Amino acid sequence: MPEKRIIISGGGTGGHIFPAIAIADALKNLEPGINILFTGAKGRMEMEKVPAAGYPIEALWISGLQRKLTWKNLLFPVKVIHSSIKARSIIKKFRPDAVVGVGGYASGPTVKAAAALGIPTILQEQNSYPGITNKMLARKAKKICVAYSGMEKYFPASKLVLTGNPVRAEIVHANAKKEEALEFFGLDRNKPTILAVGGSLGAFTINQSIHQGLKEIADSGIQLIWQTGKYYADQASAAVLPFENSGIRQYTFIARMDLAYAAADLVISRAGAIAISELCVTGKPGILVPSPNVAEDHQTKNAMALVSADAAIMVKDSECARELVKTTIELAGNNERKMQLSANILTMGKSKAAAEIAEIILSCIIK
């Protein structure tokens, strides 16, 4: 029997890339001989993260249309044509049995070309409000895997499968690595540890609030693993120098997020769909700061789904500077409240989402 061949396309941010890698890993687990190729946007982080995960990737010259008037928009039609031609060429050369779109710029040309060539396409939508690329591609998709109910507002109901969001296996099993994690980050097992992340590129409001509150955090006997993203890295690395002996650790990007979750007693995060899915499967008490700069304010909707189930605490972005550090210190010292949040958020986790999506992809292959 010939090996199965799958293209997974999309990226731009960790919220698209890491679910894609989780799906690829699940496919490999089900079909060890499967051949997987990624396509991504030239110059974006998938071009680094996908090879690091052990998969080949082809780059497309594509980007989004800028909302403000800029000369870059003049290149947009040229990029669409160029990337469409290249995507079609990649598909004809690789001959996939199915193509999976996870959202992001690069998935558009690849999934559209596959559908035009009669190849089954499957979409994975992470958010409660879908991205424009997936909405455009939905009509010809065979299946659309979603993480939230009520998505028939945006997609054909007959194609929807409620799977939850795929989370990397190492994060699903992170809690078994507590001792390894504390040693990895050089932390004291007898002190509470906070993990603060703002997505793969960082979150300015969260970073600024933590920066201003570093002394309060250190004085409270709390340890901190702080992923700042590249745009705040220089400021943060200078700011933490006086507090390194207090267990304050700053990183531009954390490759071992499984160990970061394992070490953490509490997580501060944006409310992106994948961040929330990771909190749910690891059962970590969370303080969520929804980004105000997203379509339909969907991060607030994501956060409120947890808050209404008493599974997380929300701090508004506009109140972050005043409230975040104070709320964090209070929660870090309240073990009963942390246990309550942890128990509630665990009930919302879907740890087998990646495996379920992989099975759906394989079922769509034309025999």
Side-chain angles (χ1 to χ4, degrees), residues 241-252:
L241 285 174
F243 304 106
E244 286 186 334
N245 291 335
S246 302
I248 306 290
R249 307 283 184 261
Q250 179 269 334
Y251 302 89
T252 302

Side-chain angles (χ1 to χ4, degrees), residues 50-64:
V50 169
Y55 297 100
I57 185 167
E58 292 272 1
L60 301 179
W61 186 45
I62 187 70
S63 61

Side-chain angles (χ1 to χ4, degrees), residues 329-359:
I329 291 171
E330 287 173 0
L331 183 56
N334 189 337
N335 289 334
E336 186 178 337
R337 183 70 177 127
K338 283 188 292 187
M339 287 172 64
Q340 186 180 42
L341 291 170
S342 180
N344 291 342
I345 200 170
L346 266 174
T347 66
M348 305 175 79
K350 294 183 183 292
S351 60
K352 297 180 180 177
E356 188 176 342
I357 293 166
E359 287 174 357

